Amino acid sequence: MAVLLIGTLDTKGAEYAYVRDLVTAAGQEVVLLDAGVMGDPAPPRAGATGDPGADSTGDPGAGSTGDPGVGAVGDPALIADVPARVVAEAGGASLARLRSDGDRGAALRVMADGAARLARDLWERGRLSGVLALGGSGGSSIAAAAMAALPVGVPKLLVSTMASGDVSPYVGQSDVTLMYSVVDVAGINAISRPILGNAAAAIAAMAAAYDARRREAPRDDRPLVAATMFGVTTPAVTAARARLEELGYEVVVFHATGSGGRAMEALIRDGYFAGVLDLTTTELADELVGGVLSAGPDRLSAAGAAGVPQVVSLGAVDMVNFGPKDTVPERFARRRLLVHNPTVTLMRTTAEECAAIGRQIGAKLAAATGPVALFVPRGGVSAVDVEGGPFHDPAADAACFDAVTQAVAGTGVQVVDSDDDINQPRFAVAAADRLHELIQKSG
């Protein structure tokens, strides 16, 4: 088992020599992968095979001695275990061609694909216990692609000049830990030295903990159920979660904030879940209308495609999300708005929008290959959509209910029509019980 260091050694060799030595001094073996393109490739060390994580001995990280003096700044001993040539080939191109073409964007994409394939291969062969990378925008994009190829739980630490802004392109749906470099990754100095030292210590500790967990027997073999929740559907999900836990499931709750929905869909595709309790489908409203919490057009697709049993409701489709009130687009200025808190403003969906949301949800459910139940809460789809609530709009809700039920009519989708609002405990418990039935029958 080794920590994989992913770096552009043509520009950041000194920095990688520094963190490599710190990680090995902390007791972890290291595999150094060179994703650099434009500089001269480092000469292969004796016995190098081009096999990531193996040298002539087959020992991952061999060649990293653990002596903090080896590979000091500017020392030619900094030789990649996985040279740039191998990374480029894994990405489907030759290093020579990438250099001659001189297209940096294309080269970054190739090296990102190659690094991702090689990192995944190391993990599948049981040789990887963590990943550390340092970089600016280009190096960070390569490392992020490799980290995204690894399962949740594998330690991933990215020290980046980009970590103080919009980090969504680097995190995506992965559990990447970001550390802001403060200064550019360009030399070992009074500012960068402690930051890189902290990063090396962190990945070494995370890798040691990961190794220990892998050696332990699994603590919990209960089947997993995914659930979606928003603040205005919390009572429903809390009651349903308690019921599912009584029935022997472990419930993993995703906050329906766009990134939460994308993460859930990705984990469903990876086969983590026995069932899905998708009570909160609000992200589809943001996708349709233009809110800030969209999970993209593929939301509510993974379970159906994989045949995973699912119970779906219409939680919080009465709203579209924006930031502070002054960020709401001018075209929505006359709409019904609710300041949820200083950083979140909600906008009530119209009857036309609700009908479109209902049709979209119905079409996705009708296309599912596995068992599906649709729970319709005619008493209200959120805590603010009940009688007397600021978003109470029976006509808009009815437009959604009519559209979604018409879209699934004549299909295998089971429809449970209820006069309760979504947060009534009996509604939530009934949804949990129905999911349990679907899972049992499909097993």
Side-chain angles (χ1 to χ4, degrees):
M1 300 286 284
V3 171
L4 177 64
L5 301 185
I6 299 175
T8 52
L9 303 188
D10 52 350
T11 60
K12 304 192 186 308
E15 297 77 19
Y16 273 89
Y18 183 70
V19 296
R20 176 204 61 183
D21 295 342
L22 292 175
V23 174
T24 55
Q28 294 294 322
E29 295 185 82
V30 169
V31 172
L32 183 59
L33 182 150
D34 183 7
V37 175
M38 298 309 174
D40 290 333
R45 58 170 156 63
T49 64
D51 175 14
D55 70 350
S56 57
T57 68
D59 180 13
S64 299
T65 66
D67 177 1
V70 175
V73 175
D75 191 322
L78 184 69
I79 306 298
D81 299 290
V82 186
R85 170 186 57 81
V86 173
V87 181
E89 290 171 356
S94 73
L95 185 61
R97 180 62 180 270
L98 294 178
R99 289 181 170 183
S100 64
D101 287 349
D103 186 335
R104 185 173 184 271
L108 286 175
R109 289 190 293 273
V110 168
M111 299 307 274
D113 289 346
R117 290 189 176 96
L118 294 170
R120 182 75 186 195
D121 179 68
L122 275 173
W123 178 80
E124 289 177 348
R125 292 191 286 137
R127 295 187 174 189
L128 187 142
S129 57
V131 183
L132 171 64
L134 328 169
S137 60
S140 295
S141 66
I142 293 172
M147 293 175 182
L150 298 171
V152 168
V154 177
K156 311 167 186 74
L157 176 57
L158 175 56
V159 182
S160 176
T161 62
M162 306 299 289
S164 68
D166 178 8
V167 300
S168 57
Y170 305 105
V171 177
Q173 290 76 61
S174 187
D175 57 336
V176 175
T177 301
L178 286 171
M179 180 183 291
Y180 182 42
S181 63
V182 181
V183 295
D184 203 352
V185 184
I188 307 301
N189 54 56
I191 305 298
S192 66
R193 186 177 294 109
I195 293 170
L196 298 183
N198 287 342
I203 196 62
M206 287 192 283
Y210 178 74
D211 289 344
R213 285 197 304 272
R214 283 173 61 95
R215 290 191 294 268
E216 293 176 355
R219 296 181 179 179
D220 196 339
D221 58 357
R222 291 178 295 169
L224 296 182
V225 165
T228 51
M229 186 168 77
F230 221 32
V232 292
T233 62
T234 294
V237 179
T238 299
R241 173 181 161 189
R243 177 57 177 158
L244 287 167
E245 289 173 347
E246 289 176 1
L247 293 168
Y249 298 94
E250 183 175 1
V251 181
V252 180
V253 179
F254 294 86
H255 197 189
T257 55
S259 56
R262 290 191 298 271
M264 183 184 74
E265 297 285 322
L267 291 172
I268 293 170
R269 287 192 294 271
D270 287 342
Y272 276 84
F273 298 111
V276 178
L277 186 70
D278 205 348
L279 295 183
T280 311
T281 44
T282 184
E283 290 155 314
L284 290 167
D286 280 60
E287 170 68 12
L288 177 74
V289 181
V292 298
L293 299 185
S294 168
D298 293 332
R299 178 69 173 87
L300 195 60
S301 298
V308 176
Q310 53 182 329
V311 169
V312 177
S313 191
L314 306 164
V317 298
D318 57 325
M319 61 188 63
V320 177
N321 294 265
F322 297 100
K325 190 174 181 180
D326 60 4
T327 68
V328 177
E330 180 63 28
R331 67 184 183 278
F332 297 133
R334 296 183 179 276
R335 295 282 293 272
R336 194 189 318 181
L337 302 177
L338 174 64
V339 177
H340 185 62
N341 61 49
T343 60
V344 176
T345 304
L346 310 177
M347 181 179 76
R348 210 325 172 169
T349 44
T350 65
E352 293 77 13
E353 291 163 351
C354 286
I357 294 165
R359 286 192 294 271
Q360 185 179 61
I361 291 174
K364 288 175 178 284
L365 299 186
T369 61
V372 183
L374 170 66
F375 272 60
V376 180
R378 293 191 178 270
V381 298
S382 79
V384 295
D385 183 40
V386 295
E387 187 172 355
F391 276 4
H392 184 53
D393 188 337
D397 288 348
C400 180
F401 302 152
D402 291 347
V404 70
T405 53
Q406 289 171 14
V408 300
T411 72
V413 176
Q414 305 172 22
V415 177
V416 178
D417 219 321
S418 172
D419 291 331
D420 289 332
D421 70 81
I422 196 167
N423 286 313
Q424 285 293 322
R426 63 185 177 187
F427 179 89
V429 170
D433 286 339
R434 181 61 57 90
L435 181 60
H436 175 60
E437 292 173 12
L438 296 181
I439 293 171
Q440 294 296 303
K441 289 178 181 178
S442 66

